[in-house]
Amino acid sequence: MKKMIGFMVILLFFGMLAYYFYPEEKLAADVQIDSLVVLKSKRVLLAYSNSKLLKSYNIALSRQPLGAKEIEGDQKTPEGRYFINDKNPNSAYHKNLGISYPNKADAERAKRLGKPAGGAIKIHGLRNKMGFIGKFHRLTNWTLGCIAVTNPEIDELYRAVKVGTPIQIKP
């Protein structure tokens, strides 16, 4: 029995190493992404150019991934149509792309609830000095409302996405 448990631990360890180091396909350097779609239920961000899917990114979401963001502090990722409104190379999370949340409907919903809508929703990499976590960050939803990718992935998106690019976030 001890030999079987030892074998399973070794197998798990090497499986984790393979997952961590297995290379993922990269975008070509000259590619320009012109639209993004997030499918929250599948934890995936889709990048398009001229209506052609270029790449699918596995993501981590907010701690409360079900349902649309309604108010500040609800730890939910918004749902709806937005656009990339900012690019920050010096954030606390490697780099980030700002999302134009709240839109008019979001602001009105929060106002009806008598609460602030919140803001500062981003697509970002890992917290500075934590990049070594890599793909393992995807094992749990850990953000406060943002969409998280690995640092190499945010580098790729940061390069290929312009301010003004539409993003649709779906349940």
Side-chain angles (χ1 to χ4, degrees):
M1 186 64 163
K2 287 182 182 180
K3 285 183 181 181
M4 179 62 100
I5 292 172
F7 176 74
M8 297 293 276
V9 168
I10 290 169
L11 191 61
L12 177 64
F13 174 75
F14 282 106
M16 290 172 58
L17 280 177
Y19 173 74
Y20 186 85
F21 287 108
Y22 189 80
E24 295 186 353
E25 188 176 330
K26 297 192 182 317
L27 283 178
D30 61 342
V31 168
Q32 203 62 52
I33 294 169
D34 60 22
S35 69
L36 298 166
V37 176
V38 173
L39 304 175
K40 289 173 49 175
S41 61
K42 295 184 179 183
R43 292 176 59 195
V44 68
L45 182 150
L46 306 171
Y48 292 88
S49 181
N50 297 318
S51 300
K52 179 183 173 195
L53 179 63
L54 297 177
K55 187 170 178 180
S56 174
Y57 296 88
N58 293 312
I59 59 173
L61 293 170
S62 62
R63 294 178 184 157
Q64 301 294 327
L66 299 177
K69 183 167 195 61
E70 294 183 321
I71 59 170
E72 182 175 48
D74 65 7
Q75 297 186 357
K76 293 186 177 191
T77 302
E79 296 172 1
R81 294 181 184 273
Y82 306 97
F83 61 91
I84 301 301
N85 65 352
D86 184 41
K87 294 174 84 168
N88 183 351
N90 301 309
S91 79
Y93 291 87
H94 189 58
K95 292 178 182 167
N96 72 50
L97 301 173
I99 297 175
S100 63
Y101 175 87
N103 61 24
K104 185 177 179 182
D106 298 322
E108 289 173 357
R109 180 174 49 247
K111 186 176 179 180
R112 282 193 307 272
L113 296 171
K115 304 279 186 177
I121 302 297
K122 314 285 184 186
I123 301 170
H124 60 69
L126 302 177
R127 182 174 281 287
N128 291 334
K129 299 182 183 177
M130 298 299 288
F132 64 89
I133 294 171
K135 297 180 211 176
F136 290 126
H137 86 96
R138 301 174 184 156
L139 298 177
T140 186
N141 288 315
W142 57 271
T143 76
L144 297 177
C146 296
I147 299 161
V149 295
T150 66
N151 288 353
E153 290 169 334
I154 195 62
D155 287 340
E156 200 172 73
L157 289 164
Y158 193 90
R159 176 190 44 76
V161 174
K162 292 181 180 177
V163 170
T165 299
I167 179 169
Q168 185 172 7
I169 306 173
K170 298 180 178 184

